[in-house]
């Protein structure tokens, strides 16, 4: 991509004035163009792409010369959001592939080993993995930002980020304000303490250990010790 003071020229020689660059970016960021945005991986492409031009997308340093500060920030945010979505999709594919591999392993294991592995997978997926607490949903989530009154992205459930309690479809804020799992000295809704991530991780691990201990007690005596040993490294 060749950058000029009055515009940008793509690698195939098609010139775009600054106004055209702004228009292409604005169109790409429209809500109704989310599919196109995903297809182009968030890149602003030549106006002749793809029918008459195979040039790659414009570089951020070139766009920054012609977009307003607000438009450039909106463009960067859209790119980052797409990257996060792709990462989550890749993680889901990876998890599915791992599950399929475990199923193949199950078929070749003896009965004792099969019971231990099934118990371990239950602990990994239903106890250690953070999920929406609603039984009919159980959508996994990897992190969250901002308020600890969380809304599930897949169902109407509102729940507490501290203890993961289902607070119904209405509002989780009242519960979060009085949740007994809130770290000492932290604002329940918008904690600003220096290591709130570490504090939350400590609470989450403690909750997981307690739930694992309870679950292990429901297992047969013949596999409890092996299950505890295999999951110890995860706790």
């Amino acid at each position: 991509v060749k950058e000029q003071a009055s515009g940008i020229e793509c690698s195939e020689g098609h010139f775009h004035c600054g106004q055209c660059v702004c228009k292409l970016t604005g169109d790409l960021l429209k809500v109704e163009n989310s599919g196109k945005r995903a297809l182009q991986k968030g890149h602003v492409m030549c106006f002749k792409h793809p029918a008459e031009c195979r040039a790659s997308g414009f570089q951020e340093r070139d766009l920054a010369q012609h977009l307003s500060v607000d438009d450039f920030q909106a463009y960067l945010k859209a790119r980052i959001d797409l990257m996060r979505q792709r990462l989550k999709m890749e993680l889901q594919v990876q998890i599915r592939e791992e599950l399929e591999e475990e199923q193949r392993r199950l078929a070749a294991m003896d009965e004792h080993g099969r019971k231990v592995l099934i118990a371990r997978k239950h602990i990994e997926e239903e106890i250690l993995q953070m999920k929406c607490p609603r039984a009919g949903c159980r959508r996994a989530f990897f992190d969250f930002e901002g308020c600890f009154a969380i809304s599930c992205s897949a169902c109407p459930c509102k729940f507490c980020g501290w203890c993961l309690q289902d607070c119904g479809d209405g509002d989780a804020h009242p519960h979060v304000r009085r949740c007994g799992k809130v770290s000492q000295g932290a604002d329940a809704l918008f904690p600003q303490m220096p290591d709130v991530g570490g504090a939350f991780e400590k609470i989450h691990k403690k909750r997981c250990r307690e739930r694992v201990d309870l679950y292990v007690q429901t297992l047969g005596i013949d596999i409890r010790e092996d299950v505890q040993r295999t999951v110890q490294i995860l706790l």
Side-chain angles (χ1 to χ4, degrees):
V1 177
K2 181 180 178 182
E3 197 276 330
Q4 301 178 9
S6 59
I8 302 176
E9 185 178 285
C10 79
S11 59
E12 294 194 2
H14 305 124
F15 179 76
H16 304 69
C17 67
Q19 185 176 359
C20 290
V21 173
C22 293
K23 184 177 186 304
L24 284 171
T25 305
D27 288 343
L28 185 68
L29 297 179
K30 290 180 179 179
V31 174
E32 59 267 30
N33 287 334
S34 60
K36 176 182 177 181
R37 191 162 59 248
L39 186 64
Q40 297 180 185
K41 298 182 179 179
H43 290 292
V44 179
M45 311 297 286
C46 172
F47 70 95
K48 291 191 175 185
H49 177 86
E52 300 179 42
C53 180
R54 298 295 181 181
S56 57
F58 301 143
Q59 298 294 316
E60 281 74 21
R61 65 175 180 272
D62 299 328
L63 292 172
Q65 299 296 319
H66 301 284
L67 298 178
S68 68
V69 173
D70 288 344
D71 287 346
F72 186 63
Q73 290 297 323
Y75 162 78
L76 290 179
K77 182 180 183 301
R79 289 288 314 279
I80 292 171
D81 288 345
L82 277 173
M83 291 178 188
R84 287 176 174 171
Q85 291 172 12
R86 289 181 61 196
L87 176 60
K88 288 183 178 179
M89 289 177 64
E90 289 170 2
L91 287 173
Q92 290 172 355
V93 170
Q94 179 182 348
I95 290 172
R96 183 170 63 252
E97 290 175 346
E98 289 175 353
L99 287 175
E100 291 173 350
E101 176 61 25
E102 292 297 339
Q103 289 175 351
R104 288 190 288 270
R105 288 181 59 197
L106 277 174
M109 293 179 65
D110 62 27
E111 186 63 22
H112 178 84
R114 185 178 292 116
K115 289 180 179 179
V116 172
L117 184 56
I118 289 173
R120 171 174 172 153
K121 296 302 293 183
H122 175 85
I123 290 171
E124 290 178 345
E125 297 168 15
E126 299 301 327
I127 298 179
L128 302 185
Q129 171 64 60
M130 291 187 292
K131 293 185 178 184
C132 169
R134 186 153 301 178
C137 177
R138 303 295 290 161
R139 170 68 65 87
F141 67 98
F142 301 93
D143 55 22
F144 61 92
E145 298 177 351
C147 184
F148 269 57
I150 304 174
S151 297
C152 178
S153 63
C155 79
C157 180
K158 306 297 187 296
F159 60 96
C160 175
W162 293 104
C163 69
L164 305 185
Q165 178 172 317
D166 187 338
C167 300
D169 295 351
D171 186 4
H173 290 83
H175 168 85
V176 175
R177 290 190 182 96
R178 62 175 185 273
C179 179
K181 299 294 185 180
V182 178
S183 298
Q184 185 175 4
D187 182 296
L189 295 175
F190 295 97
Q192 298 295 323
M193 46 191 299
D195 189 24
V196 65
F200 174 78
E201 183 69 17
K202 182 178 180 180
I203 289 172
H204 178 64
K205 284 187 175 181
K206 181 176 183 294
R207 177 173 59 244
C208 288
R209 283 194 296 269
E210 292 172 349
R211 292 183 61 195
V212 167
D213 288 343
L214 289 174
Y215 172 70
V216 169
Q217 294 306 310
T218 68
L219 301 174
I221 297 177
D222 59 322
I223 64 170
R224 286 181 190 174
E225 185 176 342
D226 287 340
V227 171
Q228 288 175 325
R229 184 172 60 254
T230 61
V231 301
Q232 191 62 41
I233 192 174
L234 304 175
L235 300 174

